[in-house]
Amino acid sequence: MRVDLKPILTAVAILAGLAVPRPLVATETTARPVLGLVEIARVHTGTLLQLRGMAGRGQATLRLPEHGLCVTIPLRFAAGDFGGREPAGPLRGPVRLALHDPAMIRAMVNGQDIISDMFEVGMGASSDVDIRILSGIEESFGFVLNPGLNIWAEIFGPRPVPSSCGPLDRLEDQVLSDAL
């Protein structure tokens, strides 16, 4: 018997404050703002039978929804799938992800893991996704973003460092030009 866990994980994420419930009818006509940019410059890849995987370390630039200020946090990244086929493109990186969900941004700043199955993930200029894949992985991959790089970050949370919002602003401009 096969059980689909996505609805259950989504409900848990909503209850835990990691995700915001989506309306059944789309009301937005413009692209959602880019609130975060994950960049993993170099990843290590591997395969085992049908399992393909990759892991790396990088950073996330996040715009805090409450203040509009930007911070950068280090993070670990792990991704994989059971496709067992050769990828359409290179899987060496860099991995770049645009983040659009305010609850996800708050969760990352608080040191909570982001699991792709709990959010809507897509490619291209789609306006209805929480995480948009810009490069480095395929849509079939599941992934985890783990804020922090060491055991201290696991206990006390990552240490956000104030940073420029320039990368997010440039990405926002690109999204707007792609949508036109």
Side-chain angles (χ1 to χ4, degrees), residues 32-129:
R32 295 172 65 189
V34 177
L35 299 176
L37 174 63
V38 171
E39 296 178 294
I40 311 297
R42 193 173 67 191
V43 294
H44 303 282
T45 62
T47 59
L48 177 65
L49 301 175
Q50 296 291 320
L51 177 65
R52 295 183 296 169
M54 58 193 326
R57 294 177 179 214
Q59 68 179 19
T61 302
L62 309 171
R63 187 184 317 264
L64 303 175
E66 301 83 23
H67 312 292
L69 303 173
C70 289
V71 296
T72 300
I73 60 171
L75 57 82
R76 291 174 285 192
F77 169 82
D81 79 342
F82 288 100
R85 57 182 170 66
E86 287 299 312
L91 295 178
R92 299 199 193 297
V95 174
R96 296 183 73 227
L97 307 169
L99 311 176
H100 300 280
D101 188 320
M104 180 189 325
I105 301 303
R106 283 190 288 279
M108 287 182 76
V109 170
N110 291 327
Q112 298 174 353
D113 291 351
I114 302 301
I115 302 169
S116 63
D117 287 347
M118 294 181 176
F119 298 94
E120 293 294 322
V121 179
M123 296 182 91
S126 177
S127 64
D128 61 347
V129 296

